[in-house]
Amino acid sequence: MTNRAVAYYRVSTARQGASGLGLAAQKAAVEALCAQRGWDLIAPPYQEIESGKRSDRPELAKALERARLTGARLVIAKLDRLSRDAAFLLTLQNS
């Protein structure tokens, strides 16, 4: 099992992104989990300001590709940061 991780953060609105509150909380949660499990974040985090309803997210695609190429795991703060669409989540699970 790998000890490498790639972080992905998403907020829904520009206001959330500008405030940093949503991103700061996600970053703290991801870093705490990685520290607890002995995982090393191997890249700068990938982050987006995008609705959870949209499935076309360039930064998520980049994060997934980086994880795939390096054998790392994708780490998120909460499942709803990926999507609120169950079909999209199942597709991600298979990738």
Side-chain angles (χ1 to χ4, degrees), residues 10-89:
R10 181 188 66 78
V11 290
S12 299
T13 66
R15 184 175 177 196
Q16 287 176 327
S19 75
L21 296 175
L23 293 173
Q26 290 177 57
K27 182 178 181 204
V30 165
E31 288 178 354
L33 177 71
C34 288
Q36 175 187 15
R37 298 204 178 169
W39 299 343
D40 297 317
L41 289 169
I42 62 167
Y46 293 86
Q47 53 187 53
E48 291 185 293
I49 299 172
E50 189 62 69
S51 169
K53 295 179 183 178
R54 295 190 58 167
S55 59
D56 59 326
R57 296 211 215 106
E59 291 302 304
L60 177 56
K62 290 176 191 175
L64 288 167
E65 181 67 5
R66 179 71 179 258
R68 187 185 68 76
L69 290 173
T70 61
R73 60 185 94 231
L74 181 70
V75 182
I76 57 171
K78 290 174 40 179
L79 192 57
D80 71 352
R81 296 299 86 200
L82 286 179
S83 180
R84 298 185 188 276
D85 179 346
F88 180 71
L89 291 172

